[in-house]
Amino acid sequence: MENTELILMALVGLALLVLGYRIKKIAFFIIWFLLGYSLMGYLMPIINDAFTDIVNNDLWQNLLPIAGGLLMALLGFSIEKICVGGIAFGLVMMITAQYFGAEMQTLAIGAVVGVVAAGAAVMLMKPAVIIATSAAGAYAITMALIAWIPGLNLDSYYWPLIIGIAALGSIIQFLTTKRVR
């Protein structure tokens, strides 16, 4: 990603991290956009192999991930419970693919964990929204930090950064939304 994209991703991640529950609808739109954008990044090599004209066209290379993000964002914005469950599932799948790989068995295990996380998220709506938005914000901030700091080892710092940043964001959101329904 370019530096402006990283800055934008970090700012959006910060907003999700500390304001996720207060800006729930906007947060759902942003999270689903980030999920769609990231997933299109994983699909672009397959699309490039299938459609060789897209490989040489910068417009399509930039437009397809944005279109994927917008399609997912519109879906996630529309239905709250499906959105919360989908965020939990999507975050588990993105972390699985990013950290453990994209082999079929790994993705199947990640999907099972994602379904369990999605079910728990729907049952505990407010805490799930706070934790999911904090985790999504932490993921965005972590990915930006890893890109900005070249010496940062992904294997050593990925989980501590995500867990630490998400915990901090969750605490901030729980403290600032005690009376918010």
Side-chain angles (χ1 to χ4, degrees):
M1 279 193 246
E2 294 181 23
N3 204 29
T4 54
E5 290 174 321
L6 289 171
I7 291 170
L8 183 62
M9 186 167 82
L11 290 174
V12 167
L14 184 62
L16 289 173
L17 185 70
V18 296
L19 300 172
Y21 190 75
R22 289 190 181 272
I23 58 170
K24 185 171 29 174
K25 290 287 188 182
I26 297 168
F28 288 164
F29 187 87
I30 292 169
I31 291 170
W32 279 94
F33 179 84
L34 291 174
L35 288 171
Y37 189 88
S38 296
L39 291 174
M40 279 303 292
Y42 291 117
L43 293 176
M44 284 305 289
I46 297 168
I47 293 171
N48 289 338
D49 288 343
F51 303 100
T52 55
D53 293 339
I54 292 176
V55 174
N56 300 324
N57 192 331
D58 287 338
L59 176 67
W60 285 109
Q61 290 293 318
N62 294 324
L63 190 62
L64 284 176
I66 292 170
L70 285 175
L71 287 173
M72 292 291 282
L74 291 173
L75 170 73
F77 184 72
S78 61
I79 304 169
E80 190 170 300
K81 285 188 179 185
I82 292 174
C83 185
V84 170
I87 289 170
F89 181 81
L91 286 171
V92 169
M93 291 305 291
M94 278 181 32
I95 290 170
T96 300
Q98 176 79 30
Y99 195 70
F100 298 110
E103 293 83 30
M104 187 56 74
Q105 291 174 328
T106 304
L107 291 177
I109 292 168
V112 170
V113 173
V115 167
V116 171
V122 171
M123 305 248 332
L124 305 164
M125 200 61 156
K126 182 178 178 179
V129 170
I130 289 173
I131 292 168
T133 57
S134 294
Y139 177 79
I141 291 170
T142 298
M143 296 315 291
L145 286 174
I146 288 172
W148 278 329
I149 305 170
L152 199 62
N153 185 354
L154 183 66
D155 294 332
S156 300
Y157 293 104
Y158 182 79
W159 285 111
L161 279 172
I162 285 184
I163 291 169
I165 294 170
L168 179 65
S170 295
I171 291 168
I172 290 169
Q173 284 193 59
F174 277 118
L175 291 175
T176 59
T177 60
K178 283 184 180 179
R179 292 178 175 82
V180 178
R181 288 187 150 235

